[in-house]
Coordinates of all heavy atoms in Angstrom, one line a residue:
A219 N -77.9 14.9 18.6 CA -76.8 14.3 19.3 C -75.7 15.4 19.6 O -75.4 16.1 18.7 CB -76.3 13.1 18.6
V220 N -75.1 15.3 20.7 CA -74.1 16.2 21.1 C -72.8 15.5 20.9 O -72.6 14.4 21.4 CB -74.2 16.7 22.5 CG1 -73.1 17.6 22.9 CG2 -75.6 17.5 22.7
V221 N -71.8 16.1 20.3 CA -70.5 15.5 20.1 C -69.5 16.2 21.0 O -69.4 17.4 21.0 CB -70.0 15.6 18.7 CG1 -68.6 15.0 18.5 CG2 -71.0 14.8 17.8
S222 N -68.8 15.4 21.8 CA -67.7 16.0 22.7 C -66.5 15.0 22.7 O -66.6 13.9 22.2 CB -68.3 16.2 24.1 OG -68.6 14.9 24.7
T223 N -65.4 15.5 23.3 CA -64.3 14.6 23.4 C -64.1 14.1 24.8 O -64.4 14.9 25.8 CB -63.0 15.4 23.0 OG1 -62.9 16.5 23.8 CG2 -63.0 15.7 21.5
Q224 N -63.8 12.9 25.0 CA -63.6 12.3 26.3 C -62.5 11.2 26.2 O -62.0 10.9 25.2 CB -64.9 11.6 26.8 CG -66.0 12.6 27.0 CD -67.3 11.9 27.5 OE1 -67.2 10.7 27.8 NE2 -68.3 12.6 27.6
S225 N -62.2 10.6 27.4 CA -61.2 9.5 27.5 C -59.8 9.9 26.9 O -59.2 10.7 27.6 CB -61.7 8.2 26.8 OG -62.7 7.7 27.5
T226 N -59.5 9.5 25.7 CA -58.2 9.7 25.2 C -58.1 11.2 24.7 O -57.0 11.6 24.4 CB -57.9 8.8 24.0 OG1 -58.8 9.2 22.9 CG2 -58.0 7.4 24.3
G227 N -59.2 11.9 24.7 CA -59.2 13.2 24.1 C -59.5 13.2 22.7 O -59.7 14.3 22.1
W228 N -59.5 12.1 22.1 CA -59.7 12.0 20.6 C -61.0 11.2 20.3 O -61.4 11.2 19.1 CB -58.5 11.3 19.9 CG -57.3 12.2 20.0 CD1 -56.3 12.1 20.8 CD2 -57.1 13.3 19.2 NE1 -55.4 13.1 20.6 CE2 -55.8 13.8 19.6 CE3 -57.7 13.9 18.1 CZ2 -55.2 14.9 19.0 CZ3 -57.1 15.0 17.5 CH2 -55.9 15.5 17.9
E229 N -61.6 10.6 21.3 CA -62.9 9.9 21.0 C -64.0 10.8 20.7 O -64.1 11.9 21.3 CB -63.2 9.0 22.2 CG -62.3 7.8 22.4 CD -62.7 6.9 23.5 OE1 -63.3 7.5 24.5 OE2 -62.5 5.7 23.4
R230 N -64.9 10.4 19.8 CA -66.1 11.2 19.5 C -67.2 10.6 20.3 O -67.5 9.4 20.1 CB -66.3 11.3 18.0 CG -65.3 12.0 17.3 CD -65.4 12.0 15.8 NE -66.7 12.6 15.4 CZ -66.8 13.9 15.1 NH1 -65.9 14.8 15.4 NH2 -68.0 14.4 14.7
C231 N -68.0 11.3 21.0 CA -69.0 10.8 21.9 C -70.4 11.4 21.5 O -70.4 12.6 21.3 CB -68.7 11.1 23.3 SG -67.1 10.4 23.9
E232 N -71.4 10.6 21.4 CA -72.7 11.1 21.1 C -73.6 10.8 22.4 O -73.6 9.7 22.9 CB -73.3 10.4 19.9 CG -72.6 10.7 18.6 CD -73.2 10.2 17.4 OE1 -74.3 9.7 17.5 OE2 -72.6 10.3 16.3
V233 N -74.2 11.8 22.9 CA -75.1 11.7 24.0 C -76.5 11.4 23.5 O -77.0 11.9 22.6 CB -75.1 13.0 24.8 CG1 -76.0 12.9 26.0 CG2 -73.7 13.4 25.2
S234 N -77.1 10.4 24.2 CA -78.5 10.0 23.8 C -79.4 11.1 24.0 O -79.2 12.1 24.8 CB -78.9 8.8 24.7 OG -79.0 9.1 26.0
E235 N -80.6 11.1 23.4 CA -81.5 12.1 23.4 C -82.0 12.4 24.9 O -82.3 13.5 25.2 CB -82.7 11.8 22.5 CG -82.4 12.0 21.0 CD -83.5 11.7 20.1 OE1 -84.7 11.8 20.6 OE2 -83.3 11.4 19.0
D236 N -82.1 11.3 25.7 CA -82.6 11.5 27.1 C -81.4 12.0 28.0 O -81.7 12.3 29.1 CB -83.2 10.3 27.6 CG -82.2 9.1 27.7 OD1 -81.0 9.3 27.4 OD2 -82.6 8.0 28.0
G237 N -80.2 12.1 27.4 CA -79.1 12.6 28.2 C -78.6 11.7 29.2 O -77.7 12.0 30.0
M238 N -79.0 10.5 29.2 CA -78.7 9.5 30.3 C -77.4 8.7 29.9 O -76.8 8.1 30.8 CB -79.9 8.5 30.5 CG -81.1 9.3 31.0 SD -80.9 10.2 32.5 CE -80.7 8.9 33.7
S239 N -77.1 8.6 28.7 CA -75.9 7.8 28.3 C -75.2 8.4 27.1 O -75.8 9.2 26.4 CB -76.4 6.3 28.0 OG -77.2 6.3 26.9
D240 N -74.0 8.0 26.9 CA -73.3 8.4 25.8 C -72.5 7.2 25.2 O -72.2 6.2 25.9 CB -72.4 9.6 26.0 CG -71.3 9.3 27.1 OD1 -71.2 8.2 27.6 OD2 -70.6 10.3 27.5
M241 N -72.1 7.3 24.0 CA -71.4 6.2 23.3 C -70.2 6.9 22.6 O -70.3 7.8 21.9 CB -72.3 5.5 22.3 CG -71.6 4.4 21.6 SD -72.8 3.5 20.6 CE -71.8 3.0 19.2
C242 N -69.0 6.4 23.0 CA -67.8 7.0 22.5 C -67.1 6.0 21.6 O -66.9 4.8 21.9 CB -66.8 7.4 23.6 SG -67.6 8.6 24.7
T243 N -66.6 6.4 20.4 CA -65.8 5.6 19.5 C -64.7 6.4 18.9 O -64.6 7.6 19.0 CB -66.7 5.1 18.4 OG1 -67.1 6.2 17.5 CG2 -68.0 4.4 18.9
C244 N -63.9 5.7 18.2 CA -62.8 6.4 17.4 C -63.2 6.6 16.0 O -62.4 6.9 15.1 CB -61.5 5.5 17.5 SG -60.7 5.6 19.1
D245 N -64.5 6.4 15.7 CA -65.0 6.6 14.3 C -65.3 8.0 14.1 O -66.3 8.6 14.6 CB -66.2 5.7 14.0 CG -66.7 5.9 12.6 OD1 -66.1 6.5 11.8 OD2 -67.8 5.3 12.3
W246 N -64.4 8.7 13.4 CA -64.6 10.1 13.1 C -65.4 10.4 11.8 O -65.6 11.5 11.4 CB -63.2 10.8 12.9 CG -62.5 11.1 14.2 CD1 -62.2 10.2 15.2 CD2 -62.2 12.4 14.7 NE1 -61.6 10.9 16.3 CE2 -61.6 12.2 16.0 CE3 -62.2 13.6 14.2 CZ2 -61.1 13.2 16.7 CZ3 -61.7 14.7 14.9 CH2 -61.2 14.5 16.2
K247 N -65.9 9.3 11.2 CA -66.6 9.4 10.0 C -65.9 10.2 8.9 O -66.4 11.1 8.2 CB -68.0 10.0 10.2 CG -68.8 9.2 11.2 CD -70.3 9.6 11.3 CE -71.1 8.9 12.3 NZ -70.8 7.6 12.8
C248 N -64.6 9.9 8.8 CA -63.7 10.5 7.8 C -64.1 10.1 6.4 O -64.5 9.0 6.2 CB -62.2 10.1 8.1 SG -61.6 10.6 9.7
V249 N -64.0 11.0 5.5 CA -64.2 10.7 4.1 C -62.9 10.4 3.4 O -61.9 11.2 3.5 CB -64.9 12.0 3.4 CG1 -65.1 11.7 1.9 CG2 -66.2 12.3 4.1
Y250 N -62.8 9.3 2.8 CA -61.6 8.9 2.0 C -61.8 9.3 0.6 O -62.7 8.9 -0.1 CB -61.3 7.4 2.1 CG -60.4 7.0 1.1 CD1 -59.0 7.2 1.3 CD2 -60.8 6.4 -0.1 CE1 -58.1 6.8 0.3 CE2 -59.9 6.0 -1.1 CZ -58.5 6.2 -0.9 OH -57.7 5.8 -1.8
R251 N -61.0 10.2 0.1 CA -61.0 10.5 -1.3 C -59.6 10.9 -1.7 O -58.9 11.7 -1.0 CB -62.0 11.6 -1.6 CG -61.7 12.9 -1.0 CD -62.8 14.0 -1.4 NE -62.7 15.1 -0.5 CZ -63.4 15.3 0.6 NH1 -64.3 14.4 1.0 NH2 -63.2 16.4 1.3
P252 N -59.0 10.3 -2.7 CA -57.7 10.6 -3.1 C -57.6 12.0 -3.7 O -57.8 12.3 -4.8 CB -57.3 9.6 -4.1 CG -58.6 9.1 -4.6 CD -59.6 9.3 -3.6
D253 N -57.3 13.0 -2.8 CA -57.1 14.4 -3.2 C -55.8 14.9 -2.7 O -55.6 15.1 -1.5 CB -58.3 15.2 -2.6 CG -58.2 16.7 -3.0 OD1 -57.2 17.1 -3.6 OD2 -59.1 17.5 -2.6
P254 N -54.8 15.0 -3.6 CA -53.5 15.5 -3.2 C -53.4 16.7 -2.3 O -52.5 16.9 -1.5 CB -52.7 15.7 -4.5 CG -53.4 14.8 -5.4 CD -54.9 14.8 -5.0
D255 N -54.4 17.6 -2.5 CA -54.4 18.8 -1.7 C -54.7 18.6 -0.2 O -54.5 19.4 0.7 CB -55.5 19.8 -2.2 CG -55.1 20.4 -3.5 OD1 -53.9 20.5 -3.8 OD2 -56.0 20.8 -4.3
E256 N -55.3 17.4 0.1 CA -55.6 17.0 1.5 C -54.6 16.1 2.1 O -54.6 15.8 3.3 CB -57.0 16.4 1.6 CG -58.1 17.3 1.2 CD -59.5 16.7 1.4 OE1 -59.6 15.6 2.0 OE2 -60.5 17.3 1.0
Y257 N -53.6 15.5 1.4 CA -52.7 14.6 1.9 C -51.8 15.3 3.0 O -51.5 16.5 2.8 CB -51.7 14.1 0.8 CG -52.4 13.3 -0.3 CD1 -51.7 13.0 -1.4 CD2 -53.7 12.8 -0.2 CE1 -52.3 12.2 -2.5 CE2 -54.3 12.0 -1.2 CZ -53.6 11.7 -2.3 OH -54.1 11.0 -3.3
V258 N -51.5 14.6 4.0 CA -50.7 15.1 5.1 C -49.6 14.1 5.5 O -49.8 12.9 5.4 CB -51.5 15.5 6.4 CG1 -52.4 16.7 6.1 CG2 -52.2 14.3 6.9
C259 N -48.5 14.6 6.0 CA -47.4 13.8 6.6 C -47.4 14.2 8.1 O -47.4 15.4 8.4 CB -46.1 14.2 5.9 SG -44.7 13.2 6.4
S260 N -47.3 13.2 8.9 CA -47.3 13.5 10.4 C -45.9 13.8 10.8 O -44.9 13.5 10.1 CB -47.9 12.4 11.1 OG -47.0 11.2 11.1
D261 N -45.7 14.3 12.0 CA -44.4 14.5 12.5 C -43.7 13.2 12.9 O -42.5 13.2 13.3 CB -44.4 15.5 13.7 CG -45.3 15.0 14.9 OD1 -46.0 14.0 14.7 OD2 -45.4 15.7 15.9
T262 N -44.4 12.1 12.8 CA -43.8 10.8 13.0 C -43.5 10.1 11.6 O -43.3 9.0 11.5 CB -44.8 9.9 13.8 OG1 -46.1 9.8 13.1 CG2 -45.0 10.4 15.2
C263 N -43.6 11.0 10.6 CA -43.3 10.6 9.2 C -44.2 9.5 8.7 O -43.8 8.5 8.1 CB -41.8 10.2 9.0 SG -41.3 10.3 7.3
E264 N -45.5 9.7 8.9 CA -46.5 8.7 8.4 C -47.4 9.5 7.4 O -47.7 10.7 7.7 CB -47.4 8.2 9.5 CG -46.6 7.3 10.5 CD -47.5 7.1 11.7 OE1 -47.5 7.9 12.6 OE2 -48.1 6.0 11.8
F265 N -47.8 8.9 6.4 CA -48.6 9.5 5.3 C -50.1 9.2 5.7 O -50.5 8.0 6.0 CB -48.3 8.9 4.0 CG -49.3 9.3 2.9 CD1 -49.2 10.5 2.3 CD2 -50.3 8.4 2.5 CE1 -50.1 10.9 1.3 CE2 -51.2 8.8 1.6 CZ -51.1 10.1 1.0
F266 N -51.0 10.2 5.6 CA -52.4 10.0 5.7 C -53.1 10.8 4.6 O -52.6 11.8 4.1 CB -52.9 10.6 7.1 CG -52.3 9.9 8.3 CD1 -51.2 10.3 8.9 CD2 -53.0 8.7 8.7 CE1 -50.7 9.6 10.0 CE2 -52.5 8.0 9.8 CZ -51.3 8.4 10.4
F267 N -54.2 10.2 4.1 CA -54.9 10.9 3.0 C -55.5 12.2 3.4 O -55.8 13.0 2.6 CB -56.0 9.9 2.5 CG -55.4 8.8 1.6 CD1 -55.3 7.6 2.2 CD2 -55.0 9.1 0.3 CE1 -54.7 6.5 1.4 CE2 -54.4 8.1 -0.4 CZ -54.3 6.8 0.1
N268 N -55.8 12.4 4.7 CA -56.3 13.7 5.2 C -56.1 13.8 6.7 O -55.8 12.8 7.4 CB -57.7 14.0 4.8 CG -58.7 12.9 5.3 OD1 -58.7 12.5 6.4 ND2 -59.5 12.4 4.3
E269 N -56.2 15.0 7.3 CA -56.0 15.2 8.7 C -57.0 14.4 9.6 O -56.7 14.0 10.6 CB -56.0 16.7 9.0 CG -55.4 17.0 10.3 CD -55.2 18.5 10.5 OE1 -55.2 19.3 9.5 OE2 -55.0 18.9 11.7
C270 N -58.2 14.3 9.1 CA -59.2 13.5 9.8 C -58.8 12.1 10.0 O -58.9 11.6 11.1 CB -60.6 13.6 9.0 SG -61.9 12.7 9.9
L271 N -58.3 11.4 9.0 CA -57.8 10.1 9.1 C -56.6 10.0 10.1 O -56.5 9.0 10.9 CB -57.4 9.5 7.8 CG -58.6 9.2 6.8 CD1 -58.1 8.9 5.4 CD2 -59.4 8.0 7.3
M272 N -55.8 11.0 10.2 CA -54.7 11.0 11.1 C -55.3 11.1 12.6 O -54.8 10.3 13.5 CB -53.8 12.2 10.9 CG -52.6 12.2 11.8 SD -51.5 13.7 11.6 CE -52.5 14.9 12.5
K273 N -56.3 11.9 12.8 CA -56.9 12.0 14.1 C -57.6 10.7 14.5 O -57.5 10.3 15.7 CB -57.9 13.2 14.1 CG -57.1 14.5 14.1 CD -58.1 15.7 14.0 CE -57.4 17.0 13.9 NZ -58.3 18.1 13.8
E274 N -58.2 10.1 13.6 CA -58.8 8.8 13.9 C -57.8 7.8 14.3 O -57.9 7.0 15.2 CB -59.6 8.3 12.6 CG -60.5 7.2 12.8 CD -61.3 6.9 11.6 OE1 -60.8 6.4 10.6 OE2 -62.5 7.3 11.6
Q275 N -56.6 7.8 13.6 CA -55.5 6.9 14.0 C -55.0 7.2 15.4 O -54.6 6.3 16.1 CB -54.4 6.9 12.9 CG -53.3 5.9 13.1 CD -53.8 4.5 13.0 OE1 -54.6 4.2 12.1 NE2 -53.3 3.6 13.8
I276 N -54.9 8.4 15.7 CA -54.4 8.8 17.1 C -55.3 8.2 18.1 O -54.9 7.7 19.1 CB -54.4 10.4 17.2 CG1 -53.3 11.0 16.3 CG2 -54.1 10.8 18.7 CD1 -53.3 12.5 16.2
C277 N -56.6 8.3 17.9 CA -57.6 7.8 18.8 C -57.4 6.3 18.9 O -57.5 5.8 20.0 CB -59.0 8.2 18.3 SG -60.3 7.6 19.4
Q278 N -57.2 5.6 17.8 CA -57.1 4.1 17.8 C -55.9 3.6 18.5 O -55.9 2.7 19.3 CB -57.2 3.6 16.4 CG -58.5 3.8 15.8 CD -58.5 3.5 14.3 OE1 -57.5 3.1 13.7 NE2 -59.7 3.6 13.7
D279 N -54.7 4.3 18.3 CA -53.5 3.7 18.8 C -52.9 4.5 19.9 O -51.9 4.1 20.6 CB -52.5 3.4 17.7 CG -52.0 4.6 17.0 OD1 -52.1 5.8 17.5 OD2 -51.4 4.5 15.9
G280 N -53.4 5.7 20.2 CA -52.9 6.5 21.3 C -51.6 7.2 21.1 O -51.0 7.8 22.0
V281 N -51.0 7.1 19.8 CA -49.8 7.8 19.5 C -50.1 9.2 19.1 O -50.8 9.4 18.1 CB -49.0 7.0 18.4 CG1 -47.8 7.7 18.0 CG2 -48.7 5.6 18.8
E282 N -49.5 10.1 19.8 CA -49.7 11.6 19.5 C -49.0 11.9 18.2 O -47.9 11.5 18.0 CB -49.3 12.5 20.6 CG -50.2 12.4 21.8 CD -51.6 12.9 21.6 OE1 -51.7 13.9 20.8 OE2 -52.5 12.4 22.2
R283 N -49.7 12.6 17.3 CA -49.1 13.0 16.0 C -49.6 14.4 15.7 O -50.7 14.8 16.1 CB -49.6 12.1 14.9 CG -49.2 10.7 15.0 CD -50.0 9.9 13.9 NE -49.6 8.5 13.9 CZ -50.2 7.6 14.7 NH1 -51.1 7.9 15.5 NH2 -49.8 6.3 14.6
E284 N -48.9 15.2 15.0 CA -49.3 16.4 14.5 C -48.9 16.5 13.0 O -48.0 15.8 12.6 CB -48.6 17.6 15.2 CG -49.1 17.7 16.7 CD -48.7 19.0 17.3 OE1 -48.5 20.0 16.6 OE2 -48.7 19.0 18.6
V285 N -49.6 17.3 12.2 CA -49.2 17.5 10.8 C -47.9 18.2 10.7 O -47.7 19.2 11.4 CB -50.3 18.3 10.1 CG1 -49.9 18.6 8.7 CG2 -51.7 17.5 10.1
D286 N -47.0 17.6 10.0 CA -45.7 18.2 9.7 C -45.9 19.3 8.6 O -45.9 18.9 7.4 CB -44.7 17.2 9.4 CG -43.3 17.7 9.3 OD1 -43.1 19.0 9.2 OD2 -42.3 16.9 9.3
R287 N -46.0 20.5 9.0 CA -46.3 21.6 8.0 C -45.1 21.9 7.1 O -45.3 22.6 6.1 CB -46.8 22.8 8.7 CG -47.9 22.6 9.7 CD -49.2 22.7 8.9 NE -50.3 22.5 9.9 CZ -51.5 21.9 9.6 NH1 -51.7 21.5 8.4 NH2 -52.4 21.7 10.5
E288 N -43.9 21.4 7.4 CA -42.8 21.7 6.6 C -42.6 20.8 5.4 O -41.8 21.0 4.5 CB -41.5 21.6 7.4 CG -41.5 22.7 8.5 CD -40.2 22.6 9.4 OE1 -39.2 22.0 9.0 OE2 -40.2 23.2 10.5
V289 N -43.4 19.7 5.3 CA -43.4 18.8 4.2 C -44.2 19.3 3.1 O -45.4 19.6 3.2 CB -43.9 17.4 4.7 CG1 -44.0 16.4 3.5 CG2 -43.1 16.8 5.7
V290 N -43.5 19.5 1.9 CA -44.2 20.0 0.7 C -44.9 18.9 0.0 O -46.0 19.1 -0.5 CB -43.1 20.7 -0.2 CG1 -43.8 21.2 -1.4 CG2 -42.4 21.8 0.6
D291 N -44.3 17.7 -0.2 CA -44.9 16.6 -0.9 C -45.0 15.4 0.0 O -44.1 14.6 0.1 CB -44.0 16.3 -2.1 CG -44.6 15.3 -3.1 OD1 -45.7 14.7 -2.7 OD2 -44.1 15.1 -4.2
P292 N -46.2 15.2 0.7 CA -46.3 14.1 1.6 C -46.2 12.7 1.0 O -45.7 11.8 1.6 CB -47.8 14.3 2.1 CG -48.1 15.7 1.9 CD -47.3 16.1 0.7
I293 N -46.5 12.6 -0.3 CA -46.4 11.2 -0.9 C -44.9 10.8 -1.0 O -44.5 9.7 -0.8 CB -47.1 11.2 -2.3 CG1 -48.6 11.3 -2.1 CG2 -46.7 9.9 -3.1 CD1 -49.3 11.2 -3.4
R294 N -44.1 11.7 -1.4 CA -42.6 11.4 -1.6 C -41.8 11.5 -0.3 O -40.8 10.9 -0.2 CB -42.0 12.3 -2.6 CG -42.6 12.1 -4.0 CD -42.1 13.2 -5.0 NE -43.0 13.2 -6.1 CZ -42.5 12.9 -7.3 NH1 -41.3 12.6 -7.6 NH2 -43.4 12.9 -8.4
S295 N -42.3 12.3 0.7 CA -41.6 12.5 1.9 C -41.9 11.6 3.1 O -41.2 11.4 4.0 CB -41.8 13.9 2.4 OG -41.4 14.8 1.4
C296 N -43.1 10.9 3.0 CA -43.6 10.1 4.1 C -43.6 8.6 3.7 O -43.9 8.3 2.5 CB -44.9 10.5 4.6 SG -45.0 12.1 5.4
S297 N -43.4 7.8 4.7 CA -43.6 6.4 4.4 C -45.1 6.1 4.5 O -45.8 6.8 5.3 CB -42.8 5.5 5.4 OG -43.3 5.8 6.7
P298 N -45.6 5.0 3.9 CA -47.1 4.7 4.0 C -47.4 4.4 5.5 O -46.5 3.9 6.2 CB -47.2 3.5 3.1 CG -46.1 3.5 2.2 CD -44.9 4.2 3.0
S299 N -48.6 4.7 5.9 CA -49.0 4.4 7.3 C -49.1 2.9 7.5 O -49.9 2.3 6.8 CB -50.4 5.1 7.5 OG -50.8 4.9 8.8
T300 N -48.3 2.4 8.3 CA -48.3 1.0 8.6 C -48.4 0.8 10.1 O -47.7 1.6 10.9 CB -47.1 0.2 8.1 OG1 -45.9 0.8 8.6 CG2 -47.1 0.2 6.6
P301 N -49.1 -0.1 10.6 CA -49.2 -0.3 12.1 C -47.8 -0.8 12.6 O -47.2 -1.6 12.0 CB -50.3 -1.4 12.3 CG -50.4 -2.0 10.9 CD -50.0 -1.1 9.9
A302 N -47.4 -0.3 13.7 CA -46.2 -0.7 14.3 C -46.3 -2.1 14.9 O -47.4 -2.5 15.4 CB -45.8 0.2 15.5
V303 N -45.3 -2.9 14.8 CA -45.3 -4.3 15.4 C -44.3 -4.3 16.5 O -43.1 -3.9 16.3 CB -44.9 -5.3 14.3 CG1 -44.8 -6.7 14.9 CG2 -45.8 -5.3 13.1
V304 N -44.8 -4.6 17.7 CA -43.9 -4.7 18.9 C -43.9 -6.1 19.4 O -45.0 -6.7 19.6 CB -44.3 -3.7 19.9 CG1 -43.5 -3.8 21.2 CG2 -44.3 -2.3 19.4
R305 N -42.8 -6.7 19.7 CA -42.7 -8.0 20.2 C -41.6 -8.0 21.3 O -40.6 -7.3 21.3 CB -42.2 -9.0 19.2 CG -43.2 -9.1 18.0 CD -42.7 -10.1 17.0 NE -43.6 -9.9 15.8 CZ -44.2 -10.9 15.3 NH1 -44.1 -12.1 15.7 NH2 -45.0 -10.7 14.2
E306 N -41.9 -8.8 22.4 CA -41.0 -9.0 23.4 C -40.4 -10.4 23.3 O -41.2 -11.3 23.1 CB -41.6 -8.8 24.8 CG -41.8 -7.3 25.1 CD -42.2 -7.1 26.6 OE1 -42.3 -8.1 27.3 OE2 -42.4 -6.0 26.9
V307 N -39.1 -10.5 23.4 CA -38.4 -11.8 23.3 C -37.6 -12.0 24.6 O -36.9 -11.0 25.0 CB -37.5 -11.8 22.1 CG1 -36.8 -13.2 22.0 CG2 -38.4 -11.5 20.8
Q308 N -37.7 -13.1 25.2 CA -36.8 -13.4 26.4 C -35.5 -14.1 25.9 O -35.5 -15.1 25.3 CB -37.6 -14.3 27.4 CG -36.8 -14.4 28.6 CD -37.6 -15.2 29.7 OE1 -38.7 -15.7 29.4 NE2 -37.1 -15.2 30.9
V309 N -34.4 -13.4 26.3 CA -33.1 -14.0 25.9 C -32.3 -14.0 27.2 O -32.0 -13.0 27.8 CB -32.4 -13.1 24.9 CG1 -31.0 -13.6 24.5 CG2 -33.2 -12.9 23.6
S310 N -31.9 -15.2 27.6 CA -31.1 -15.4 28.8 C -31.6 -14.6 30.0 O -30.8 -13.9 30.7 CB -29.6 -15.0 28.5 OG -29.1 -15.8 27.5
G311 N -32.9 -14.7 30.3 CA -33.4 -14.1 31.4 C -33.7 -12.6 31.3 O -34.3 -12.0 32.1
C312 N -33.3 -12.0 30.2 CA -33.6 -10.6 29.9 C -34.7 -10.5 28.8 O -34.9 -11.3 28.0 CB -32.3 -9.9 29.4 SG -31.0 -9.9 30.5
Y313 N -35.4 -9.4 28.9 CA -36.4 -9.1 27.9 C -35.9 -8.1 26.9 O -35.4 -7.0 27.3 CB -37.7 -8.6 28.5 CG -38.5 -9.8 29.2 CD1 -38.4 -10.0 30.5 CD2 -39.4 -10.5 28.4 CE1 -39.1 -11.0 31.1 CE2 -40.1 -11.6 29.0 CZ -40.0 -11.8 30.4 OH -40.7 -12.8 30.9
L314 N -36.1 -8.4 25.6 CA -35.8 -7.4 24.6 C -37.1 -7.0 23.9 O -38.0 -7.8 23.7 CB -34.9 -8.0 23.5 CG -33.5 -8.5 24.0 CD1 -32.8 -9.2 22.8 CD2 -32.7 -7.4 24.5
Q315 N -37.2 -5.7 23.6 CA -38.4 -5.3 22.9 C -38.0 -4.9 21.5 O -37.1 -4.0 21.3 CB -39.0 -4.1 23.6 CG -40.4 -3.7 23.0 CD -41.0 -2.6 23.8 OE1 -40.4 -1.6 24.0 NE2 -42.3 -2.7 24.1
L316 N -38.6 -5.6 20.5 CA -38.3 -5.3 19.1 C -39.5 -4.6 18.5 O -40.6 -5.0 18.8 CB -38.0 -6.7 18.4 CG -37.0 -7.6 19.0 CD1 -37.0 -8.9 18.3 CD2 -35.7 -7.0 19.0
S317 N -39.2 -3.6 17.7 CA -40.4 -2.9 17.1 C -40.0 -2.5 15.7 O -38.9 -2.4 15.3 CB -40.7 -1.6 17.9 OG -39.7 -0.7 17.9
S318 N -41.1 -2.4 14.9 CA -40.9 -2.0 13.5 C -42.2 -1.2 13.2 O -43.2 -1.4 13.8 CB -40.7 -3.1 12.6 OG -41.9 -3.9 12.5
G319 N -42.1 -0.4 12.1 CA -43.3 0.3 11.7 C -43.1 1.8 11.8 O -42.2 2.4 12.2

């Protein structure tokens, strides 16, 4: 199988043996293991167990992130990775967008 990037630029695609079709997903087959040497903090101040998991998250939610190389201790410097919650509320004919995360 050939792996290439398509669509969002972060999807992993496998081309079938006959070359006629491909299947793209955001599954980077990341290995989760609690190893402090692999912990990263993104430039959006999110904690990830490793860079692979961060790239998988980029693919899933489309939010561009890079590893913040200036962070010495990702566990103490970053907040846990939590999905952002966005809600729109109509108030007196106007729409407000509330977000957290």
Side-chain angles (χ1 to χ4, degrees):
V220 176
V221 177
S222 63
T223 57
Q224 295 180 6
S225 289
T226 66
W228 292 100
E229 290 180 326
R230 294 175 61 85
C231 303
E232 293 186 11
V233 179
S234 63
E235 288 182 21
D236 62 9
M238 300 301 291
S239 64
D240 58 5
M241 183 173 146
C242 300
T243 68
C244 287
D245 182 4
W246 280 60
K247 302 193 184 329
C248 298
V249 176
Y250 164 79
R251 61 180 168 266
D253 180 354
D255 290 335
E256 293 185 9
Y257 295 168
V258 294
C259 185
S260 70
D261 57 355
T262 56
C263 202
E264 296 169 276
F265 171 81
F266 294 93
F267 285 100
N268 56 51
E269 196 167 345
C270 181
L271 289 168
M272 183 185 76
K273 290 177 181 177
E274 194 172 73
Q275 186 65 40
I276 293 168
C277 181
Q278 291 169 2
D279 64 20
V281 175
E282 288 295 325
R283 300 169 177 87
E284 294 193 21
V285 174
D286 187 343
R287 305 276 180 211
E288 295 180 18
V289 173
V290 177
D291 186 352
I293 290 180
R294 294 173 197 242
S295 300
C296 290
S297 61
S299 181
T300 56
V303 176
V304 177
R305 297 177 192 237
E306 284 191 359
V307 179
Q308 186 174 8
V309 180
S310 300
C312 297
Y313 283 94
L314 300 175
Q315 187 176 50
L316 309 173
S317 64
S318 69

